Amino acid sequence: MKSIGIVTSGGDAPGMNAVMWAAVKAARFRNMKIYGVMNGYQGLIDNEIVELNDRNIEGIIDRGGTRLGTARCAAMMTEEGQHAAVRNMYDHGIEGLLVAGGDGSFRGARDLARLGVPVVCVPATIDNDLGYTDYCIGFDTACNTAVDAISKIRDTMMSHNRVAVVEVMGRHCGDIALTVGMVGGADYILVPEVEYDKPFDIDNVVDRLTKNREYGNKSAMVVLAEGVMYEHKNRAELLGQMILERMPQLDLKVNILGHVQRGGCPSARDRRYALQMTERAVQMLHHGDTGRVVGIKDSAVIDMPLDEALAIKKVLNESFFRLAHALGQAI
Ligand code: ATP
């Protein structure tokens, strides 16, 4: 291929700009033209497509968010929208598309591939919820942000002998909660995957907090993913109330970390994986090796067919799960 496009889609993730940076550099290295699609698939449908050069990427490798913009785009779910996207690509002479995003964005890419568009996908979503890859760009930065916040919350909780309930992101996937709960020294970690297997039982949480007191601890930390009790809008508050109904003597504070987890300068790990995976993706587009995804397995870059990747179910990291248990952190 001599001319490719890049789109960032779905929720933004720190490291998406590093993907854009690497795509422009890798395309130029191969004398390929590269076009940026603005605002996710919406920009593809609305024909918001610009040719990229070094000026567009100067100083962005360490910036959070995505300079290209992103959007949730309902029109991409329609045949009409998809045909408009294909038409606009071909009008610009774009022969193939690099898609950076999560599983929804990959499904959009699959629809384009079915219409004959050569695509290669790079996983970029803070939730880390794609089953075929060990790692998605943005996850490390989001965890670092949440761990930093949890440490600060612990400082003040300990000073006042308080209990904290902290909600982190992760609608279907507990990777952020499990990771930050573990390394943040949480006493109880609640993830949606466990809730799917057995109904959430408040008595287990209360039992753990009671034992925690008996062991001599004056404060405690409960970390929950937003996917736990997801049907309740104020799930963290609800969990706090449920604990207080059973342990009214506690001084308990609820903290919802929210969108702070999406922003910020991408970590070295996120940038390194962004550069590695994007360079591979551009190389694959150049060779016409498309309809595939790039990912990370055992720290190495891999690629596989898009259909196969989407069929792999994401499961909770079993060894982390066992480690948390062995360290007395209830899940
Ligand atoms: P994140 O996990 O960070 O939210 P994501 O890529 O999964 O990222 P989604 O909002 O699920 O985010 O999907 C992004 C976009 O991909 C959607 O707004 C829509 O335009 C497109 N998309 C999602 N699912 C499909 C589908 N089944 N068919 C076609 N396009 C889709």
Side-chain angles (χ1 to χ4, degrees):
M1 279 180 206
K2 295 244 175 340
S3 174
I4 59 171
I6 173 174
V7 61
T8 55
S9 170
D12 64 335
M16 279 182 162
N17 280 328
V19 171
M20 180 186 173
W21 187 92
V24 172
K25 296 281 184 187
R28 202 190 46 201
F29 186 73
R30 293 175 174 82
N31 293 317
M32 298 159 85
K33 273 189 175 183
I34 180 162
Y35 291 86
V37 178
M38 308 307 293
N39 307 319
Y41 289 130
Q42 194 64 54
L44 205 53
I45 293 168
D46 296 344
N47 207 12
E48 286 184 84
I49 300 171
V50 290
E51 189 173 345
L52 300 176
N53 56 41
D54 265 58
R55 289 210 37 215
N56 302 106
I57 55 163
E58 193 176 358
I60 70 162
I61 195 167
D62 59 350
R63 298 286 88 205
T66 163
R67 184 71 61 90
L68 288 171
T70 184
R72 315 270 180 197
C73 170
M76 186 61 190
M77 312 266 205
T78 65
E79 265 184 42
E80 202 188 346
Q82 291 165 10
H83 284 288
V86 176
R87 242 189 344 265
N88 289 331
M89 271 185 68
Y90 289 141
D91 283 353
H92 280 88
I94 298 171
E95 298 167 273
L97 189 65
L98 189 162
V99 175
D103 70 320
S105 303
F106 283 24
R107 283 176 215 287
R110 183 169 62 180
D111 288 349
L112 291 177
R114 284 176 180 155
L115 294 175
V117 175
V119 296
V120 176
C121 300
V122 170
T125 168
I126 64 162
D127 286 355
N128 208 39
D129 59 355
L130 287 160
Y132 78 92
T133 179
D134 291 345
Y135 195 77
C136 298
I137 296 159
F139 175 65
D140 187 55
T141 308
C143 286
N144 290 340
T145 302
V147 166
D148 182 52
I150 280 180
S151 297
K152 288 171 177 158
I153 291 167
R154 165 163 296 105
D155 286 346
T156 170
M157 293 296 123
M158 286 188 67
S159 302
H160 288 269
N161 297 334
R162 284 176 173 150
V163 172
V165 168
V166 182
E167 181 185 304
V168 298
M169 281 190 169
R171 215 182 312 159
H172 306 290
C173 176
D175 275 21
I176 295 180
L178 183 55
T179 304
V180 309
M182 273 173 57
V183 305
D187 301 284
Y188 210 109
I189 304 165
L190 292 146
V191 293
E193 292 90 336
V194 171
E195 205 190 22
Y196 297 149
D197 286 346
K198 55 176 182 171
F200 166 66
D201 187 352
I202 186 64
D203 290 337
N204 290 335
V205 181
V206 169
D207 186 49
R208 170 61 49 151
L209 292 176
T210 307
K211 285 209 181 78
N212 191 57
R213 296 250 136 177
E214 287 165 12
Y215 295 151
N217 296 293
K218 297 255 183 313
S219 78
M221 174 85 66
V222 178
V223 172
L224 86 151
E226 65 178 331
V228 174
M229 299 193 283
Y230 190 68
E231 64 281 13
H232 297 283
K233 193 161 171 275
N234 301 315
R235 57 204 83 91
E237 295 283 351
L238 177 65
L239 176 61
Q241 277 166 22
M242 289 162 92
I243 294 170
L244 281 174
E245 275 163 23
R246 290 156 179 86
M247 304 178 81
Q249 74 280 15
L250 294 184
D251 186 358
L252 183 146
K253 298 288 174 195
V254 173
N255 294 265
I256 299 165
L257 298 191
H259 282 78
V260 69
Q261 295 162 95
R262 286 201 171 277
C265 170
S267 68
R269 190 170 193 227
D270 275 327
R271 285 188 231 177
R272 177 167 60 86
Y273 280 142
L275 303 192
Q276 284 182 291
M277 288 197 274
T278 305
E279 200 284 328
R280 170 76 74 93
V282 172
Q283 186 189 322
M284 288 164 66
L285 284 162
H286 187 54
H287 292 151
D289 188 11
T290 60
R292 297 179 76 80
V293 297
V294 179
I296 299 291
K297 270 280 164 205
D298 301 324
S299 303
V301 180
I302 54 133
D303 60 84
M304 68 163 71
L306 175 53
D307 274 330
E308 216 173 280
L310 279 171
I312 299 174
K313 191 175 175 294
K314 169 74 183 177
V315 290
L316 204 61
N317 186 314
E318 193 60 36
S319 66
F320 276 15
F321 192 87
R322 280 199 302 272
L323 176 61
H325 260 296
L327 295 173
Q329 294 174 300
I331 297 187

